C-alpha cells in the first residue's frame, strides 16, 4: 500500500501510543499539515478521535489514555518532570488526588488546559532542576524522587505566590529519607529560603 493510499487510522495505529500529533502524522504520511488536520477533524466528527490541545490528538476510548502520558507532548522543547503534590500523590505520601497535575521546569510558570486534564508548570531554578527519573524506571514521563518532590513543594511555598503553604495529611513510607531531603534543601542557594525549607523539614520529620 502506498503512503497516499494508507488510511490516517493506520498511521495512528503505527505509532502504538494513545497520543499523537498532527506534525508526526504529516511526516509519516508525507501529506501536508493542512491535509492531515482536515482528515483528523473528520475523524473527530466521526467520534473516533478527539483533540486534546492544539496539534495533539488521542484515540477515543484508548485504555492507555492517561494525562501523565501527555506530559512529554506539552513542551517538547523543554524537559519537564512531575513534582510537588502530584508526585507525592503518586508515591502514596498524599492520599488526596490533586485537581491539577503539577510539573516542574525551568520555563516561566504557566497553566495548560487540555481535554484530559489541567497542568500547572512551576518554574524551578536551574541549580535545583535535578533529582528526577522515568516513572517506575520505564514510564512515559519523568518524575521527581519522593524527597525532591517534597523539597520542591517546600521551596515553592516560600516564594511570592505562597504555593503549597498547607499540606493535607502526609504518610511517609519507611523508604523515605529525610536525610536525602535535607541534602536537596542544602542545594538551595538563597540562604533565607534554605533556612525556611530546612525548618519545615524538621517539623514534618518530628510530626
Amino acid at each position: 500500500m502506498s503512503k497516499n493510499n494508507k488510511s490516517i487510522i493506520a498511521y495512528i495505529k503505527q505509532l502504538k501510543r494513545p497520543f499523537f500529533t498532527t506534525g508526526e502524522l504529516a511526516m509519516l504520511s508525507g501529506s501536508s499539515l493542512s491535509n492531515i488536520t482536515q482528515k483528523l477533524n473528520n475523524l473527530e466528527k466521526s467520534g473516533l478521535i478527539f483533540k486534546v490541545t492544539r496539534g495533539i490528538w488521542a484515540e477515543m476510548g484508548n485504555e492507555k489514555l492517561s494525562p501523565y502520558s501527555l506530559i512529554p507532548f506539552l513542551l517538547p522543547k523543554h524537559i519537564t518532570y512531575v513534582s510537588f503534590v502530584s508526585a507525592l500523590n503518586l508515591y502514596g505520601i498524599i492520599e488526596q488526588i490533586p485537581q491539577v497535575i503539577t510539573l516542574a521546569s525551568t520555563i516561566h510558570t504557566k497553566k495548560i488546559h487540555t481535554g484530559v486534564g489541567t497542568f500547572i508548570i512551576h518554574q524551578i531554578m536551574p541549580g535545583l532542576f535535578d533529582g528526577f527519573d522515568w516513572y517506575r524506571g520505564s514510564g512515559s514521563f519523568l518524575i521527581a524522587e519522593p524527597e525532591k518532590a517534597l523539597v520542591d513543594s517546600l521551596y515553592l511555598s516560600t516564594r511570592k505566590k505562597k504555593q503549597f503553604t498547607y499540606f493535607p495529611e502526609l504518610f511517609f513510607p519507611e523508604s523515605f529519607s529525610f536525610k536525602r531531603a535535607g541534602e536537596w534543601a542544602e542545594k538551595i542557594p538563597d540562604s533565607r529560603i534554605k533556612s525556611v525549607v530546612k525548618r519545615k523539614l524538621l517539623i514534618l520529620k518530628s510530626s
Side-chain angles (χ1 to χ4, degrees):
M1 182 183 293
S2 69
K3 281 191 173 184
N4 290 334
N5 293 330
K6 192 173 180 180
S7 74
I8 196 71
I9 287 291
Y11 287 115
I12 292 171
K13 297 293 185 185
Q14 185 178 327
L15 292 169
K16 296 181 179 179
R17 49 180 159 75
F19 296 104
F20 47 91
T21 69
T22 309
E24 60 190 353
L25 289 175
M27 287 182 63
L28 278 173
S29 65
S31 299
S32 65
L33 285 172
S34 59
N35 185 35
I36 292 298
T37 299
Q38 184 179 359
K39 290 181 177 180
L40 290 172
N41 285 331
N42 289 336
L43 288 176
E44 184 177 35
K45 290 175 183 177
S46 301
L48 296 174
I49 66 170
F50 67 96
K51 181 181 285 187
V52 178
T53 188
R54 184 179 179 181
I56 305 174
W57 308 75
E59 281 188 278
M60 192 70 74
N62 189 311
E63 60 184 24
K64 295 181 180 180
L65 204 61
S66 161
Y68 287 98
S69 299
L70 177 62
I71 292 168
F73 295 89
L74 292 175
L75 297 166
K77 295 182 180 179
H78 302 275
I79 298 174
T80 305
Y81 65 89
V82 177
S83 191
F84 315 107
V85 292
S86 290
L88 295 175
N89 171 256
L90 289 175
Y91 288 123
I93 295 172
I94 290 178
E95 287 189 342
Q96 184 178 336
I97 300 174
Q99 293 182 333
V100 300
I101 294 177
T102 49
L103 309 172
S105 188
T106 54
I107 67 168
H108 289 298
T109 297
K110 64 187 299 185
K111 180 181 285 189
I112 301 176
H113 297 281
T114 76
V116 296
T118 300
F119 302 80
I120 295 182
I121 301 163
H122 294 290
Q123 186 178 38
I124 291 288
M125 62 186 307
L128 290 176
F129 197 72
D130 202 349
F132 54 89
D133 205 343
W134 295 107
Y135 183 54
R136 292 180 178 171
S138 60
S140 60
F141 62 93
L142 295 165
I143 185 171
E145 60 186 55
E147 296 83 0
K148 181 57 163 45
L150 180 62
V151 170
D152 280 351
S153 301
L154 297 178
Y155 167 79
L156 214 63
S157 75
T158 68
R159 310 303 292 166
K160 293 180 180 179
K161 292 185 178 180
K162 299 294 183 182
Q163 296 280 343
F164 311 129
T165 53
Y166 168 76
F167 281 110
E169 193 170 0
L170 300 172
F171 304 90
F172 294 106
E174 289 185 8
S175 59
F176 188 92
S177 171
F178 275 96
K179 179 183 177 182
R180 177 70 173 149
E183 290 171 353
W184 280 116
E186 282 292 341
K187 294 179 183 291
I188 298 172
D190 186 301
S191 58
R192 183 190 66 82
I193 295 175
K194 181 192 298 185
S195 176
V196 172
V197 170
K198 290 174 72 174
R199 185 169 67 249
K200 290 185 176 185
L201 280 175
L202 285 174
I203 292 171
L204 289 173
K205 184 179 179 180
S206 60
S207 61

